[in-house]
Amino acid sequence: MRDAREVLVRPVVSEKSVGAIEENRYSFWVNPAANKVEVKAAVEKMFKVHVIGVRTINVHGKMKRVGRYSGKTSDRKKAIVTLKAGERIEGFAGL
């Protein structure tokens, strides 16, 4: 298994993901090679909480253009983690 810091890249900060915190769901950008078991273990180890469920989404990169130059943003993987009722991740409190 991978180390927890290799699995979790950073939290997803968007209007939708911050609103989901009220429903005890937290979103993270994760390593594209990580699976649900590794994501669950990483969140439980890093934040000392109990994870009930993990959902993963492969986000495909978009084509972007600046003037005559075009390119593509990178593909990423997002994980939405549901925690046990009554538990919170303190780092997200300031969002």
Side-chain angles (χ1 to χ4, degrees):
M1 275 183 107
R2 293 175 181 84
D3 183 44
R5 289 188 174 89
E6 292 177 10
V7 175
L8 299 178
V9 176
R10 66 178 181 268
V12 176
V13 181
S14 67
E15 188 174 348
K16 186 174 183 179
S17 67
V18 171
I21 293 174
E22 296 173 1
E23 299 169 7
N24 231 14
R25 291 183 302 191
Y26 295 85
S27 301
F28 297 94
W29 292 117
V30 296
N31 185 339
N35 58 27
K36 292 181 180 187
V37 176
E38 292 174 334
V39 172
K40 178 179 178 179
V43 171
E44 287 180 343
K45 182 179 178 183
M46 288 185 73
F47 299 108
K48 307 290 190 269
V49 293
H50 295 93
V51 175
I52 293 175
V54 177
R55 295 181 178 185
T56 58
I57 302 118
N58 286 315
V59 181
H60 299 288
K62 298 179 180 180
M63 293 299 295
K64 295 289 183 177
R65 188 175 145 188
V66 178
R68 65 179 179 162
Y69 301 104
S70 62
K72 181 177 172 279
T73 61
S74 59
D75 297 335
R76 300 182 283 182
K77 188 171 193 177
K78 180 167 61 171
I80 301 172
V81 178
T82 305
L83 301 183
K84 186 177 175 182
E87 293 188 350
R88 301 177 55 197
I89 295 177
E90 293 301 322
F92 282 82
L95 298 177

